[in-house]
Amino acid sequence: MFQYFFLYFFQIVSAQEQSDTPNVASYEIREHSLVKPYPAVFSTGSSYWHLTGNTIVTDRWIRLTADTQSKQGGLWNLLPVTYPDWEMHVHFKVHGTGKELFGDGLVIWYVRDPKHLGPVFGYQDYFHGLGIVLDTYSNHNGPHNHAHPYISAMVNNGTLHYDHDRDGTHTQIAGCESAFRGRDTDTLIAIRYKDDKLTVSTDVDGRNVWRECFSAEGVRLPTHYYFGFSAATGELTDSHDIISVHTYQLDSSNERKLEDRQAIVPFGLTSEAERLHVDDPKSVSWTALKIFFYVLLFLIISVGLAIGGYFYMNSRRYHKSRFY
Ligand SMILES: [Ca+2]
């Protein structure tokens, strides 16, 4: 008994030493964590991790994409997450030779269907679950209400499309600017999901302190989804590396433990409803152009009718004067 207590206590303490955050009872789930040396992790047949696309593993990092064009890669955990509340700390690195143009970014996933490749930073669109998007390149031509690199969260029940042209702003539940790219210091992100509240924090300044990026209440995520990572390059490039992953199970209330959380449909309130929809300048000018042509058409028809009417009346008068 004492032995178990000591073990439990030790795990809590060690979890808090490695990371400042889990301040409730928590313990690390080794199957959902990934640390060096990686070759040992991937060479064994019982590995919980699976690589997709162009991902390569060395002794220093797991590289989802190299700094070359048109690559996509993934790193997927194959053991479903059975606990409702969790926190994940990811040590990652995004870097490349590009000084002003680089991309596209990487995503940390908690989704129903692992291992797929696709157009959303190396994973499929219309996904089920959560994506924490670390977007380095602004695809938006018009003015943005934020700068890049940008971190945002998207929750999808399979019906939403990730719109690269808008950098996903219309489907995000929250986001923040974060200068995580090309840093000499270690860059880390913490994702915490507890009591339907999603909190994302970063440590990118090398000060070993978590800074909250955003938090969102009322986020519904089922259990038995899978953790994963993916990244992509297109015309623009960067290396997207995962260095370590530490996942902690957080203590859950009895209510949450007893609830059938596997049946939950993913849900998160998008910030779209709170924000006034502003069209691109491009579409505004197109609308103006359309109105101009409609007015012009109306004027031409009016003038045509007036001239036609004038000649008709004249010919009537002529006939009248002729026969009477
Ligand atoms: Ca983008």
Side-chain angles (χ1 to χ4, degrees), residues 104 121 135-139 148 162 164 167:
D104 293 325
F121 301 93
D135 189 3
T136 42
Y137 175 68
S138 172
N139 300 67
H148 278 70
Y162 180 86
H164 277 286
D167 295 307

Side-chain angles (χ1 to χ4, degrees), residues 66-94:
D67 191 13
T68 50
Q69 289 186 326
S70 304
K71 300 286 178 210
Q72 52 174 285
L75 166 67
W76 291 94
N77 189 275
L78 303 180
L79 199 75
V81 179
T82 54
Y83 38 92
D85 298 294
W86 46 264
E87 179 160 332
M88 177 188 268
H89 298 177
V90 184
H91 180 189
F92 68 98
K93 193 170 175 69
V94 179

Side-chain angles (χ1 to χ4, degrees), residues 274-295:
E274 301 161 18
R275 198 171 53 212
L276 195 67
H277 181 88
V278 181
D279 271 324
D280 284 349
K282 198 172 69 180
S283 54
V284 166
S285 61
W286 172 234
T287 310
L289 205 66
K290 269 202 286 196
I291 290 169
F292 171 73
F293 276 115
Y294 283 135
V295 169

Side-chain angles (χ1 to χ4, degrees), residues 68-303:
T68 50
Q69 289 186 326
S70 304
K71 300 286 178 210
Q72 52 174 285
L75 166 67
W76 291 94
N77 189 275
L78 303 180
L79 199 75
V81 179
T82 54
Y83 38 92
D85 298 294
W86 46 264
E87 179 160 332
M88 177 188 268
H89 298 177
V90 184
H91 180 189
F92 68 98
K93 193 170 175 69
V94 179
H95 56 109
T97 50
K99 290 279 179 282
E100 284 177 14
L101 290 173
F102 39 79
D104 293 325
L106 83 113
V107 182
I108 301 166
W109 300 101
Y110 176 65
V111 289
R112 191 186 70 181
D113 311 302
K115 299 193 283 183
H116 291 275
L117 290 167
V120 186
F121 301 93
Y123 182 60
Q124 66 182 19
D125 203 359
Y126 301 100
F127 58 91
H128 289 79
L130 168 74
I132 304 294
V133 182
L134 286 78
D135 189 3
T136 42
Y137 175 68
S138 172
N139 300 67
H140 197 76
N141 292 323
H144 236 321
N145 49 9
H146 61 75
H148 278 70
Y150 190 73
I151 300 173
S152 65
M154 177 173 174
V155 173
N156 201 344
N157 59 5
T159 63
L160 298 176
H161 160 61
Y162 180 86
D163 186 357
H164 277 286
D165 291 340
R166 303 291 185 106
D167 295 307
T169 48
H170 289 240
T171 46
Q172 75 178 42
I173 54 173
C176 84
E177 294 169 16
S178 175
F180 58 78
R181 184 191 177 271
R183 304 301 295 255
D184 292 330
T185 55
D186 289 346
T187 46
L188 293 98
I189 184 167
I191 302 153
R192 180 188 181 87
Y193 181 63
K194 176 148 175 62
D195 298 328
D196 291 355
K197 184 180 177 184
L198 178 72
T199 307
V200 172
S201 307
T202 58
D203 171 12
V204 297
D205 300 318
R207 282 184 287 172
N208 211 17
V209 178
W210 291 115
R211 202 163 83 183
E212 186 173 307
C213 171
F214 61 82
S215 70
E217 308 254 8
V219 176
R220 301 276 291 162
L221 294 171
T223 53
H224 294 80
Y225 275 19
Y226 299 85
F227 289 125
F229 308 84
S230 75
T233 62
E235 279 179 51
L236 303 175
T237 67
D238 251 340
S239 289
H240 298 92
D241 301 343
I242 300 294
I243 294 153
S244 75
V245 180
H246 292 279
T247 304
Y248 307 96
Q249 176 179 351
L250 304 181
D251 215 13
S252 297
S253 64
N254 280 335
E255 197 189 343
R256 277 170 85 80
K257 278 183 208 159
L258 294 170
E259 194 184 357
D260 177 19
R261 297 195 61 86
Q262 203 171 344
I264 288 171
V265 175
F267 175 81
L269 213 58
T270 60
S271 47
E272 174 71 353
E274 301 161 18
R275 198 171 53 212
L276 195 67
H277 181 88
V278 181
D279 271 324
D280 284 349
K282 198 172 69 180
S283 54
V284 166
S285 61
W286 172 234
T287 310
L289 205 66
K290 269 202 286 196
I291 290 169
F292 171 73
F293 276 115
Y294 283 135
V295 169
L296 196 69
L297 196 68
F298 176 73
L299 283 175
I300 289 167
I301 291 168
S302 302
V303 168

